[in-house]
């Protein structure tokens, strides 16, 4: 069997080969990976660790926080604040940005994360995950403000997620393709298990919460209806449906075997562009998908081109196999 390549060796060799990973960014990625290992251990304990259930509090989204949401958030903050690689952090679980305390050296990177995506699945033992995005702090500004975080997804310098499922797998891009690392619990390290991940351009599998069908806009209704017509319909083939209600798990399936994931705008909350968050869910996932040959739009625009105006703003998400995303987008923007 080929020798195991650890995450550390992979990052050192990538740094040496093409300079894609400056040393501070390499440190950042290794610290985030170590934090994900700790979160994985907490998740795996479940009821034995007294970490299931509600924390009896709400986050900035107005959602009830699970105990593990708060634990994961604290793990990421504590793991990253002292390293000297960050200027500040932002999290789905915190109203405002978190400045690195003055007692620690300040770095040039901004780290954004959803510490535990898919919280509704925690108590029923279904895969969940951590999503993270890395931006560079804009030059010149002495301090750090929320405004420094409001950069389009195309400005990311690294993005990834860690899915806590039957395996704990870290999936990462620094702009040179997508790599997957599986946690070897005996060694306690992430080991490279797939490089140059590619999403097939076509698929027969879609992921959407069908219970919202009556609330969708017409283009989404048209696309799903055509899929449901199967071989006898305009698509000329039968489709399969999956919906795990953990974006990390649905995106991992799409990176592994193709498919299209949709959380579109719907008329339940017409003033919100969508349910998912742009900065620390849609942007990192969209960059990973594009780096693997897929596509990601909000129905009308490439997600990575969206200029954010608020830290916790939401967005409609259509991502995955390029030909399917292009088709759905074309339904939204008829010629
Ligand atoms: P629904 C999890 O709460 C999440 O943010 C995504 O991970 C997931 O895709 C979506 O919401 C599930 O939403 O409305 O189906 O529960």
């Amino acid at each position: 069997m080929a020798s195991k390549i650890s995450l550390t060796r992979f990052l050192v060799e990538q740094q040496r080969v093409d300079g894609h990973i400056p040393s501070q960014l390499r440190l950042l990625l290794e610290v985030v990976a170590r934090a994900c290992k700790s979160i994985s251990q907490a998740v795996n304990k479940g009821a034995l660790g007294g970490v299931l259930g509600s924390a009896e509090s709400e986050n900035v989204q107005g959602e009830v926080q699970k105990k593990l949401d708060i634990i994961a958030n604290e793990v990421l903050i504590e793991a990253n604040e002292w390293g000297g690689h960050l200027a500040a952090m932002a999290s789905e679980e915190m109203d405002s940005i978190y400045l690195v305390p003055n007692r620690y050296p300040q770095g040039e990177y901004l780290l954004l994360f959803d510490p535990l995506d898919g919280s509704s699945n925690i108590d029923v033992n279904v895969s969940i995950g951590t999503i993270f995005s890395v931006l560079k702090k804009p030059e010149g500004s002495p301090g750090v403000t929320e405004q420094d975080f409001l950069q389009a997804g195309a400005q990311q310098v690294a993005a990834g997620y860690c899915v806590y499922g039957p395996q704990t797998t870290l999936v990462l891009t620094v702009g040179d393709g997508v790599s997957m690392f599986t946690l070897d619990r005996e060694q306690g390290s992430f080991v490279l298990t797939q490089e140059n991940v590619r999403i097939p351009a076509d698929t027969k599998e879609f992921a959407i919460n069908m219970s919202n069908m009556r609330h969708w806009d017409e283009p989404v209704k048209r696309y799903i209806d055509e899929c449901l017509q199967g071989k006898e319909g305009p698509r000329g083939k039968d489709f399969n449906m999956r919906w795990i209600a953990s974006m990390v798990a649905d995106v991992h399936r799409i990176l592994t075997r193709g498919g299209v994931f949709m959380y579109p705008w719907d008329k339940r909350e017409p003033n919100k562009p969508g349910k998912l968050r742009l900065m620390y869910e849609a942007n990192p996932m969209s960059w990973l998908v594009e780096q693997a040959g897929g596509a990601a739009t909000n129905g009308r625009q490439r997600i990575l081109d969206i200029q954010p105006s608020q830290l916790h703003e939401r967005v409609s998400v259509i991502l995955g196999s390029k030909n399917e995303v292009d088709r759905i987008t074309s339904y939204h923007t008829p010629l």
Side-chain angles (χ1 to χ4, degrees):
M1 175 169 175
S3 63
K4 289 182 175 179
I5 296 179
S6 68
L7 174 66
T8 300
R9 176 177 165 186
F10 177 86
L11 294 174
V12 166
E13 289 178 344
Q14 286 275 314
Q15 179 184 359
R16 187 185 301 152
V17 164
D18 57 14
H20 248 91
I21 310 182
S23 57
Q24 286 297 318
L25 182 58
R26 179 161 67 83
L27 171 62
L28 187 163
L29 295 172
E30 294 208 71
V31 169
V32 169
R34 267 199 302 279
C36 289
K37 258 195 307 186
S38 302
I39 295 168
S40 174
Q41 283 159 353
V43 166
N44 289 166
K45 281 209 180 89
L48 297 176
V51 295
L52 300 184
S54 167
E56 314 295 327
S57 55
E58 277 191 359
N59 64 15
V60 65
Q61 329 287 342
E63 294 164 337
V64 173
Q65 290 176 306
K66 301 282 190 178
K67 288 177 190 166
L68 270 170
D69 282 323
I70 294 175
I71 292 167
N73 194 62
E74 288 168 355
V75 166
L76 282 158
I77 296 281
E78 288 163 17
N80 279 286
E81 64 179 350
W82 50 267
H85 50 279
L86 290 183
M89 294 179 243
S91 165
E92 179 186 81
E93 302 304 332
M94 299 187 298
D95 296 11
S96 49
I97 65 171
Y98 179 90
L99 300 177
V100 168
N102 289 331
R103 64 181 179 278
Y104 299 126
Q106 309 290 303
E108 61 181 321
Y109 294 105
L110 304 174
L111 177 65
L112 304 92
F113 46 82
D114 179 356
L116 207 56
D117 171 66
S119 300
S120 61
N121 283 321
I122 291 174
D123 298 343
V124 295
N125 200 14
V126 169
S127 298
I128 49 184
T130 297
I131 309 173
F132 63 93
S133 170
V134 184
L135 296 166
K136 285 201 77 171
K137 175 175 168 294
E139 302 289 336
S141 52
V144 189
T145 66
E146 184 171 303
Q147 191 61 35
D148 293 323
F149 282 79
L150 301 184
Q151 303 176 39
Q155 299 304 311
Q156 293 174 101
V157 293
Y161 63 81
C162 193
V163 54
Y164 312 115
Q167 303 98 43
T168 287
T169 303
L170 178 74
V171 181
L172 179 61
T173 186
V174 292
D176 192 21
V178 176
S179 301
M180 296 187 173
F181 303 83
T182 302
L183 180 61
D184 177 342
R185 292 193 186 281
E186 288 154 16
Q187 297 294 323
S189 58
F190 282 102
V191 175
L192 180 66
T193 43
Q194 193 170 349
E195 273 189 285
N196 304 317
V197 173
R198 302 304 292 170
I199 299 174
D202 293 304
T203 184
K204 295 179 181 178
E205 198 160 65
F206 64 85
I208 194 166
N209 183 335
M210 293 292 285
S211 69
N212 300 326
M213 181 181 277
R214 64 191 182 285
H215 305 304
W216 297 334
D217 209 353
E218 286 311 311
V220 173
K221 284 182 181 173
R222 172 187 171 190
Y223 173 75
I224 295 297
D225 183 52
E226 288 176 353
C227 290
L228 296 177
Q229 290 180 51
K231 281 197 187 69
E232 297 71 35
R235 302 302 308 275
K237 59 184 181 181
D238 292 338
F239 280 75
N240 195 19
M241 193 213 95
R242 288 285 183 274
W243 187 249
I244 304 176
S246 275
M247 186 185 196
V248 174
D250 281 315
V251 169
H252 192 71
R253 184 189 58 254
I254 287 168
L255 282 170
T256 305
R257 70 183 192 211
V260 62
F261 170 95
M262 303 169 77
Y263 212 114
W265 170 93
D266 71 46
K267 54 181 181 257
R268 287 175 295 174
E269 295 187 274
N271 298 328
K272 281 186 184 173
K275 171 181 183 183
L276 302 181
R277 292 77 176 183
L278 174 63
M279 299 300 296
Y280 39 79
E281 287 178 339
N283 275 344
M285 291 310 206
S286 298
W287 197 28
L288 284 164
V289 164
E290 285 197 2
Q291 281 288 309
T297 76
N298 64 359
R300 291 178 171 80
Q301 178 183 13
R302 182 181 177 237
I303 285 178
L304 295 181
D305 289 339
I306 296 174
Q307 177 54 47
S309 53
Q310 294 170 37
L311 186 62
H312 297 291
E313 78 179 59
R314 296 168 186 260
V315 66
S316 175
V317 177
I318 297 162
L319 62 76
S321 293
K322 184 171 184 343
N323 293 345
E324 288 304 301
V325 174
D326 289 352
R327 170 187 290 268
I328 301 164
T329 304
S330 72
Y331 289 1
H332 285 75
T333 50
L335 296 174

